[in-house]
Amino acid sequence: MSKLKTKKYNAVANAEKDASQTFVKGAAILTLSMVIVKVFGLLDKVILTGIFSGVSFEQAVAGGTETVNFASFGLGLYSNAYEIFVVIFTVATGGLPIAISRLVSESTAQKRFNDVKQIHRVSIPFFVIVGILSFAILVGASFIYVQIIESPYSLLGMLCLSPTVLFGCLVSIYRGYYEGQRNMFPTAVSEIIEATIKLFIGAFLAYIIAHLGMNSYAESGTVFGLYIANQTEAYQTIVSFSVAGAIMGITLGSAASFVFYILKFKIQGDGIPEEYYRNSVEARSKRETFNKILKTAIPVAMGSLIMSVGSLIDQVIVQRVLLNMIETNPQALQAQYSQYFTADMFYADTKTIHTSLWGCYSAALTFLQLVTAVTQVFGSSAMPNVTSAWTKGNKDELKKSIETVIRLTMLFTFPMALGMMALSFPIMGLVYNDPLITDVGGRILLIMGVTTIFGAASTPVCSMLQGIGRVDLPMKLYTVCMAVKIGITWMFVSVPEINVQGATVGSMITYAIMTIVGMYLLIKYSKIKPDLFGTTVKPLIGAIASAASAFGAYHLMESIIGSARMSIAVSLAVAIFVAVIVYIAVLLILRAFTATELKFLPKGEKIAKTLEKLGLIR
């Protein structure tokens, strides 16, 4: 008996199961892993904020001294390194994994199993070449980018992050292949490996480097052998080295993820039993397969690239506009932020404030990304199911798949988004414990709640468009929306009273257009009219009730136990508990759940049977 026949996972058998069940199961696996990944990511930023805050010194001011720390500055450097990386990484990996996932799913539905193997073979050399080229481009682009945003301290972190794009390409060889087989487990494990190493190794390196850097400066007046006369610049240099150490954790994590995939594929095979290869038609030629991959990948990659470039331009605009504001109208920003920055930073050291304010935006953005990352999982899980139903021409299965994706997206997104709005300031205060980040980030997060709803919904909608074969539509939609976003962001950030908070308004309008128009196009081209009341309105009603109860519970607890940090933690815990109870109760009253979705929860079958008897689920 061959190695493949003894393999536990059978991709063919899995593809023949009910589409909505495999979607929910795959989404459950990826959601669990993504929650772990994002919680680790949030912990990482919290720990790094503490490390960067520790890089501080006392400065004499009228009436005494004040502490100057670099928490928001460090987060700004960390975010800057990501932005240029995401653009190159998207070009390298944005289209190919999705293309491979779609083609593998399509070939499996058509029972062309030799084509499945051929797709994998053809993708390997292509990914390797793209990865090497992208790595070289990212290194070169980093030197140019730091000049554009005038943030020279960001360079070291960018260079340390650049190998990740190569490992990301190598990982994508396998990730898209397994996802196309509706096997989400390898993706989940690899992402947890990456997040774990990023958190523990990255934070450890950041701490050690910051500690050694401060000791070096205190003892010799140098930072790792570099003589720096100005104390502020010396501490900024220490933070830049510390950020680079944190980012090395990301690079090591991506390398470990690739090793995991190699070992899994070598030991367990590809998931297709040998007899299916023998009974399948002959595979298409390598040239034809390569052309199919490119035909599918290029529109998807271009759409993702446009989004990433739009975000990069967004960052450049925000920081350049803020820098210009500091240079031409420092009084306007000083009037708002004088309690957080010393006077010389507004007039002499103009290279710090714009990076620090961007760091506050980045801190708030982490919470939006927590929600959108999970709904991106829904998009990844939906792709093979929607593709399979579309390829077979099964309209009932297609409608069921689309409604399941929309329902789960809204059930998750609405309460998270409205909850962030209701509790924005206490969340930022508890997590980051930095006055500037709490104040500015709290205001940003308040607006970002609405942005989160549309941002989280847009990804699965676009994934479903790609699943029905219209891979061109998301690209066109992204192009229009990014142009709108750039214009709106520039307009709002340029207003001194709004400044960095204006970036959120641009994102909110952009994602709203993307979601609404994308949903219209999905209905038009799939010829499917989903039950929008059951999938969208019911979760919204529950989320409004949930957010209102959270807001009331928090402020009631605050009035009783106060607003110290530990009190905030207790008040938030009570508010979240009340919100969850209210949300579930309202959804049960509205009968918003289905038995299929509940069965994948712990003890889900028993819960589903009980609720079915009570008439609370369909």
Side-chain angles (χ1 to χ4, degrees):
M1 186 175 287
S2 70
K3 176 179 66 177
L4 288 175
K5 286 186 179 180
T6 61
K7 191 177 161 334
K8 291 182 180 180
Y9 182 80
N10 187 322
V12 182
N14 196 57
E16 292 171 353
K17 293 179 181 177
D18 179 80
S20 63
Q21 288 187 359
T22 56
F23 164 72
V24 175
K25 183 177 180 180
I29 292 170
L30 285 184
T31 299
L32 178 61
S33 71
M34 189 55 67
V35 168
I36 294 171
V37 167
K38 287 303 174 181
V39 168
F40 276 21
L42 181 59
L43 286 174
D44 188 45
K45 279 200 171 180
V46 172
I47 292 169
L48 292 178
T49 302
I51 292 170
F52 301 150
S53 294
V55 183
S56 60
F57 60 86
E58 297 294 323
Q59 179 170 281
V61 294
T65 61
E66 66 177 4
T67 302
V68 179
N69 79 63
F70 297 88
S72 58
F73 180 73
L75 289 181
L77 298 183
Y78 194 80
S79 179
N80 283 342
Y82 258 104
E83 292 301 327
I84 184 66
F85 162 77
V86 167
V87 173
I88 308 297
F89 189 80
T90 300
V91 176
T93 67
L96 283 167
I98 295 174
I100 290 170
S101 175
R102 190 183 189 285
L103 292 175
V104 166
S105 176
E106 181 182 76
S107 297
T108 303
Q110 295 170 342
K111 301 189 183 302
R112 298 183 63 97
F113 301 109
N114 285 315
D115 278 322
V116 174
K117 182 180 284 189
Q118 186 79 297
I119 289 165
H120 178 66
R121 286 173 176 167
V122 170
S123 67
I124 293 173
F126 187 73
F127 268 99
V128 172
I129 293 170
V130 169
I132 294 171
L133 289 175
S134 299
F135 165 69
I137 291 170
L138 182 55
V139 170
S142 298
F143 289 92
I144 300 171
Y145 185 62
V146 295
Q147 300 287 335
I148 295 174
I149 62 172
E150 295 198 34
S151 182
Y153 294 104
S154 299
L155 179 60
L156 190 56
M158 293 178 184
L159 295 178
C160 289
L161 189 58
S162 57
T164 306
V165 75
L166 172 58
F167 292 117
C169 284
L170 299 177
V171 163
S172 296
I173 295 170
Y174 301 95
R175 186 166 285 174
Y177 186 79
Y178 282 120
E179 288 180 2
Q181 296 180 346
R182 305 189 196 180
N183 185 2
M184 305 302 168
F185 186 74
T187 298
V189 173
S190 68
E191 288 176 343
I192 291 173
I193 289 172
E194 291 174 11
T196 303
I197 293 176
K198 169 186 171 182
L199 173 61
F200 292 103
I201 303 299
F204 174 75
L205 292 174
Y207 173 78
I208 290 297
I209 291 170
H211 182 71
L212 293 175
M214 287 189 292
N215 285 347
S216 172
Y217 186 71
E219 292 171 3
S220 64
T222 65
V223 178
F224 302 121
L226 301 173
Y227 176 73
I228 303 171
N230 182 285
Q231 187 178 27
T232 299
E233 290 183 8
Y235 276 72
Q236 288 172 338
T237 302
I238 293 168
V239 171
S240 72
F241 275 98
S242 181
V243 168
I247 286 174
M248 277 304 299
I250 301 171
T251 300
L252 294 173
S254 64
S257 177
F258 173 60
V259 171
F260 160 75
Y261 271 111
I262 285 285
L263 293 175
K264 177 175 177 56
F265 197 83
K266 292 290 185 185
I267 295 170
Q268 294 186 326
D270 62 1
I272 300 177
E274 194 67 41
E275 61 265 24
Y276 288 94
Y277 287 125
R278 290 196 299 266
N279 298 327
S280 175
V281 297
E282 187 178 345
R284 299 179 181 94
S285 67
K286 288 185 178 180
R287 179 184 291 274
E288 188 178 356
T289 301
F290 180 73
N291 289 337
K292 280 182 71 70
I293 292 174
L294 283 187
K295 186 178 178 181
T296 307
I298 289 175
V300 178
M302 288 303 295
S304 301
L305 173 62
I306 290 164
M307 284 288 288
S308 298
V309 169
S311 297
L312 181 64
I313 294 173
D314 213 27
Q315 179 184 1
V316 172
I317 288 172
V318 171
Q319 294 198 61
R320 291 295 307 182
V321 169
L322 289 174
L323 185 60
N324 181 66
M325 199 178 295
I326 294 166
E327 293 172 345
T328 60
N329 189 14
Q331 298 86 354
L333 289 178
Q334 188 176 19
Q336 297 178 66
Y337 302 119
S338 60
Q339 68 269 42
Y340 304 117
F341 300 103
T342 57
D344 64 308
M345 289 184 173
F346 291 97
Y347 298 95
D349 176 27
T350 59
K351 295 291 191 295
T352 299
I353 293 177
H354 72 294
T355 302
S356 296
L357 291 178
W358 180 256
C360 296
Y361 181 85
S362 171
L365 190 64
T366 301
F367 293 95
L368 179 146
Q369 291 170 340
L370 173 63
V371 182
T372 56
V374 174
T375 58
Q376 186 176 358
V377 162
F378 297 157
S380 299
S381 298
M383 169 72 79
N385 294 284
V386 172
T387 299
S388 178
W390 179 259
T391 302
K392 292 186 234 180
N394 189 330
K395 293 201 72 172
D396 290 337
E397 186 177 308
L398 182 61
K399 186 175 190 293
K400 196 174 181 181
S401 294
I402 290 174
E403 287 186 343
T404 302
V405 175
I406 297 171
R407 184 184 297 106
L408 285 180
T409 300
M410 297 310 174
L411 283 171
F412 181 81
T413 301
F414 279 137
M416 292 290 287
L418 298 185
M420 285 194 302
M421 293 177 68
L423 303 171
S424 59
F425 286 98
I427 287 172
M428 296 299 290
L430 176 65
V431 172
Y432 291 105
N433 196 33
D434 180 88
L436 175 62
I437 297 175
T438 300
D439 181 17
V440 179
R443 280 181 271 150
I444 291 170
L445 190 61
L446 181 63
I447 307 169
M448 202 173 274
V450 180
T451 308
T452 302
I453 294 172
F454 295 112
S458 63
T459 301
V461 169
C462 289
S463 291
M464 288 188 287
L465 281 171
Q466 292 161 354
I468 64 170
R470 292 311 305 262
V471 293
D472 60 310
L473 292 177
M475 178 186 68
K476 295 173 183 176
L477 193 54
Y478 292 153
T479 304
V480 173
C481 288
M482 282 307 104
V484 172
K485 182 181 181 183
I486 290 167
I488 293 174
T489 298
W490 193 311
M491 179 174 65
F492 277 93
V493 175
S494 297
V495 179
E497 292 73 21
I498 299 175
N499 55 82
V500 73
Q501 299 160 78
T504 308
V505 180
S507 298
M508 178 176 64
I509 295 172
T510 300
Y511 286 123
I513 295 171
M514 196 178 302
T515 301
I516 294 168
V517 176
M519 197 66 226
Y520 165 78
L521 293 173
L522 180 63
I523 293 170
K524 178 181 178 180
Y525 289 104
S526 69
K527 303 294 191 293
I528 297 293
K529 292 184 179 179
D531 174 18
L532 293 180
F533 180 78
T535 58
T536 303
V537 177
K538 287 182 179 180
L540 178 59
I541 293 171
I544 292 172
S546 172
S549 63
F551 183 83
Y554 176 81
H555 287 284
L556 176 62
M557 289 297 299
E558 185 185 40
S559 67
I560 297 171
I561 64 175
S563 57
R565 195 179 189 197
M566 186 55 69
S567 300
I568 291 175
V570 173
S571 298
L572 276 175
V574 171
I576 292 170
F577 177 77
V578 170
V580 169
I581 298 299
V582 169
Y583 186 57
I584 293 173
V586 173
L587 291 182
L588 288 174
I589 292 170
L590 296 174
R591 299 179 74 227
F593 293 114
T594 67
T596 300
E597 294 148 6
L598 287 175
K599 283 177 183 177
F600 289 97
L601 296 173
K603 307 289 184 182
E605 289 201 17
K606 291 183 179 179
I607 295 171
K609 285 179 181 178
T610 303
L611 294 177
E612 279 180 313
K613 289 179 182 178
L614 296 173
L616 294 174
I617 63 172
R618 294 174 283 120

